[in-house]
């Protein structure tokens, strides 16, 4: 597979530092990196971003994530490997990533479950991670950035 074009953040170089700053900010909310890695992985799977799925696995493994959990994140509801905190973050990730799928895209039950596990700063961190992941996914999927490619 060949990309349609360079990643837009390469074509307009001032975009990349801003995106990386947002990614860095998302990591400052006190949420464990393993949870943020799972959030990134699940959003990337939903969006079909092979570039981010492959890159996300590599990054998560560097951060100590196990193959078992990475293999099961697509079926996190049925897999016994995730904490209640992680499950709440993954449910929120799915709702926020699939905003147009229902008339109530982030139902109170999903929000309340996440709020039971995370404080406001942590919720902000998770929401920022979901948003920046969706941004990266949309750029990569639109331009067909191949999995494993380097920029």
């Amino acid at each position: 597979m060949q990309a349609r074009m360079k990643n837009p953040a390469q074509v307009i170089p001032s975009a990349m530092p801003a995106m990386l700053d947002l990614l860095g900010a998302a990591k400052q909310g006190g949420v464990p990196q393993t949870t943020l890695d799972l959030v990134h992985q699940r959003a990337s799977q939903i969006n079909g971003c092979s570039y981010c799925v492959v890159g996300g696995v590599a990054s998560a493994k560097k951060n100590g994530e196990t193959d078992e959990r990475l293999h099961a994140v697509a079926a996190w509801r049925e897999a016994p490997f995730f904490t209640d905190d992680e499950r709440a973050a993954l449910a929120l990730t799915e709702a926020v990533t699939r905003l147009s799928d229902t008339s109530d895209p982030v139902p109170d039950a999903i929000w309340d479950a996440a709020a039971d596990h995370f404080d406001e700063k942590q919720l902000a961190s998770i929401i920022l991670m979901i948003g920046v992941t969706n941004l990266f996914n949309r750029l990569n999927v639109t331009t067909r950035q191949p999995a494993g490619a380097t920029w």
Side-chain angles (χ1 to χ4, degrees):
M1 178 180 206
Q2 185 162 346
R4 289 178 165 155
M5 63 179 272
K6 290 180 185 177
N7 185 292
Q10 286 179 288
V11 176
I12 301 175
S14 62
M16 186 56 79
M19 293 167 55
L20 293 176
D21 284 348
L22 184 57
L23 180 61
K27 295 178 181 183
Q28 295 176 13
V31 176
Q33 184 60 48
T34 53
T35 301
L36 295 177
D37 288 340
L38 293 173
V39 163
H40 172 81
Q41 194 66 14
R42 188 63 189 125
S44 297
Q45 289 171 341
I46 291 166
N47 289 323
C49 183
S50 65
Y51 184 92
C52 287
V53 167
V54 170
V57 165
S59 178
K61 288 184 72 146
K62 284 181 188 175
N63 293 325
E65 191 55 84
T66 66
D67 286 336
E68 185 175 55
R69 284 166 42 97
L70 288 169
H71 291 296
V73 73
W76 63 269
R77 284 181 181 83
E78 295 80 22
F81 313 124
F82 305 100
T83 67
D84 290 343
D85 288 359
E86 291 166 340
R87 290 175 185 284
L90 288 166
L92 185 60
T93 299
E94 289 186 358
V96 173
T97 300
R98 294 179 164 143
L99 288 175
S100 66
D101 286 0
T102 68
S103 61
D104 186 12
V106 183
D108 288 340
I110 288 174
W111 179 262
D112 292 344
D116 285 345
H117 292 276
F118 301 101
D119 64 25
E120 186 174 44
K121 189 172 182 179
Q122 291 170 321
L123 285 168
S125 177
I126 292 167
I127 294 165
L128 286 170
M129 179 58 79
I130 296 165
V132 75
T133 297
N134 277 280
L135 172 58
F136 276 108
N137 293 165
R138 279 152 178 73
L139 297 177
N140 291 330
V141 170
T142 301
T143 59
R144 294 190 179 160
Q145 299 301 309
T150 58
W151 290 351

